[in-house]
């Protein structure tokens, strides 16, 4: 067995490189199962792929899966989105943290395991990747300062909802300015008194050339920022008061444009809850 798995080198690998808890990188993937395949897709993802294609891999240390029922899909904006066409596409969202400094190591493994999963017929084909990208952590803004869960807890803490927001800077050389405006001014104001405990901000990275062909290359690598708002209440209960007008607020900042604001609730692992409310 040792010769087959090369387990003799595991101890050597464990003694090398970063092994902190900071989410230096993330995989954020929004997927639409094809009509008629909702139940089968859900079971494949929960019973196999979430583990064999994600959590069992090195340096991917936390994960959470989210769902947008039809009523949540209809809350999304803007109607003309550069991310999702139509804007309601992508009813499942999976989010994963990768240890800071371990992106390259994880990516080499994930490409290899996905080739193996495809070869072994363990990849569900009747789905569309609407928005899938590995991302580098850029900032985390907290509502309550040092109190409460940190960003490395976020995918394990029982948050009641998540809002995915995608913002494009006007140009590549203005993205850093947009990030600073979000971090220092916009997000602290929006978080104050809101049901969102934190917002994590990421920058997308290009997918490797040997990625799976069913995943399109990442768009907006030089201009895009991806925000995850972690909510303590169901997004339907706070949508108008706290998430209406994000498009206008960013536009008034003069540095970028909101391309997607999409609410989700957590799935219930091991069940098909919500699958019959997607359409």
């Amino acid at each position: 067995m040792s010769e087959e798995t090369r387990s003799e080198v595991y101890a050597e690998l464990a003694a090398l490189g970063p092994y902190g808890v900071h989410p230096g990188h993330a995989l954020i993937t929004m997927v639409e199962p094809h009509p008629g395949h909702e139940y089968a897709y859900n079971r494949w993802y929960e019973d196999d792929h979430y583990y064999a294609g994600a959590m069992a891999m090195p340096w991917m240390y936390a994960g959470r899966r989210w769902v947008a029922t039809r009523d949540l899909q209809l809350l999304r904006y803007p109607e003309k989105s550069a991310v999702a066409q139509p804007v309601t596409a992508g009813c499942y969202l999976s989010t994963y943290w990768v240890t800071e400094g371990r992106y390259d190591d994880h990516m080499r493994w994930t490409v290899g395991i996905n080739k193996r999963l495809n070869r072994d017929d363990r990849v569900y084909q009747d789905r569309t990747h609407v928005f899938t990208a590995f991302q580098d952590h850029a900032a985390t803004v907290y509502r309550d300062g040092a109190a409460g869960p940190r960003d490395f807890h976020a995918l394990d803490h029982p948050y009641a909802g998540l809002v995915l927001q995608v913002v494009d800077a006007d140009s590549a050389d203005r993205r850093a300015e947009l990030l600073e405006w979000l971090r220092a001014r916009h997000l602290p104001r929006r978080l104050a008194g809101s049901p969102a405990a934190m917002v994590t901000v990421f920058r997308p990275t290009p997918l490797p050339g040997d990625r799976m062909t069913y995943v399109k290359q990442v768009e907006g690598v030089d201009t895009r920022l991806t925000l995850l708002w972690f909510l303590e209440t169901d997004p339907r209960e706070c949508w108008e008061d706290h998430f209406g007008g994000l498009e206008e607020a960013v536009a008034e900042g003069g540095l970028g444009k909101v391309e997607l604001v999409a609410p989700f609730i957590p799935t219930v692992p091991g069940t098909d809850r919500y699958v019959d409310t997607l359409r």
Side-chain angles (χ1 to χ4, degrees):
M1 180 61 72
S2 177
E3 292 180 0
E4 294 178 3
T5 64
R6 302 184 188 178
S7 58
E8 68 279 359
V9 301
Y10 282 25
E12 297 176 29
L13 293 173
L16 301 170
Y19 67 119
V21 300
H22 180 63
H25 321 276
L27 171 59
I28 301 170
T29 174
M30 187 167 69
V31 172
E32 180 74 12
H34 295 170
H37 292 266
E38 295 86 357
Y39 281 92
Y41 168 78
N42 190 54
R43 291 274 45 86
W44 163 76
Y45 201 100
E46 287 204 343
D47 296 344
D48 190 8
H49 197 62
Y50 177 83
Y51 301 104
M55 296 306 300
M57 292 196 281
W59 307 114
M60 182 170 272
Y61 69 89
R64 192 80 180 271
R65 193 161 175 253
W66 314 81
V67 61
T69 54
R70 186 61 181 172
D71 58 337
L72 287 168
Q73 296 167 32
L74 294 175
L75 295 176
R76 295 180 182 181
Y77 64 89
E79 183 178 355
K80 294 183 178 180
S81 167
V83 175
Q85 301 91 30
V87 72
T88 53
C91 55
Y92 281 108
L93 179 73
S94 295
T95 52
Y96 302 97
W97 291 165
V98 177
T99 302
E100 185 173 27
R102 289 295 191 170
Y103 175 80
D104 291 340
D105 295 335
H106 175 78
M107 186 57 63
R108 292 184 69 179
W109 189 287
T110 196
V111 169
I113 200 67
N114 276 285
K115 288 181 178 179
R116 183 181 181 186
L117 290 169
N118 270 275
R119 186 176 66 244
D120 294 345
D121 196 26
R122 286 175 64 181
V123 173
Y124 199 87
Q125 301 295 341
D126 288 296
R127 76 199 198 282
T128 298
H129 281 263
V130 177
F131 178 71
T132 293
F134 280 88
Q135 316 234 0
D136 288 337
H137 180 261
T140 299
V141 181
Y142 297 100
R143 182 192 59 201
D144 302 325
R150 302 292 87 189
D151 50 14
F152 48 84
H153 300 124
L155 301 185
D156 295 306
H157 187 79
Y159 285 113
L162 179 88
V163 175
L164 169 68
Q165 181 183 7
V166 179
V167 183
D168 283 341
D170 290 338
S171 61
D173 58 2
R174 300 203 77 183
R175 184 169 66 176
E177 190 178 355
L178 171 62
L179 173 62
E180 181 58 21
W181 176 79
L182 289 168
R183 186 195 65 78
R185 298 179 59 190
H186 175 69
L187 293 178
R189 287 200 303 263
R190 300 294 296 213
L191 281 169
S194 83
M198 74 177 82
V199 181
T200 57
V201 187
F202 294 89
R203 294 182 292 257
T205 60
L207 288 169
D210 54 354
R211 70 190 185 281
M212 297 298 100
T213 56
Y214 50 78
V215 183
K216 66 181 180 181
Q217 186 53 271
V218 178
E219 300 171 347
V221 168
D222 296 326
T223 57
R224 184 158 288 175
L225 293 171
T226 304
L227 288 70
L228 300 177
W229 299 69
F230 290 91
L231 310 184
E232 295 173 330
T233 62
D234 187 307
R236 287 165 287 208
E237 299 175 6
C238 60
W239 192 251
E240 291 186 11
D241 291 340
H242 294 284
F243 290 95
L246 287 179
E247 187 178 15
E248 292 79 5
V250 171
E252 289 172 3
L255 297 169
K257 178 183 179 183
V258 169
E259 292 292 358
L260 182 66
V261 182
F264 294 85
I265 55 177
T267 61
V268 181
T271 76
D272 289 318
R273 190 176 299 181
Y274 307 120
V275 174
D276 59 353
T277 59
L278 301 178
R279 309 300 182 194

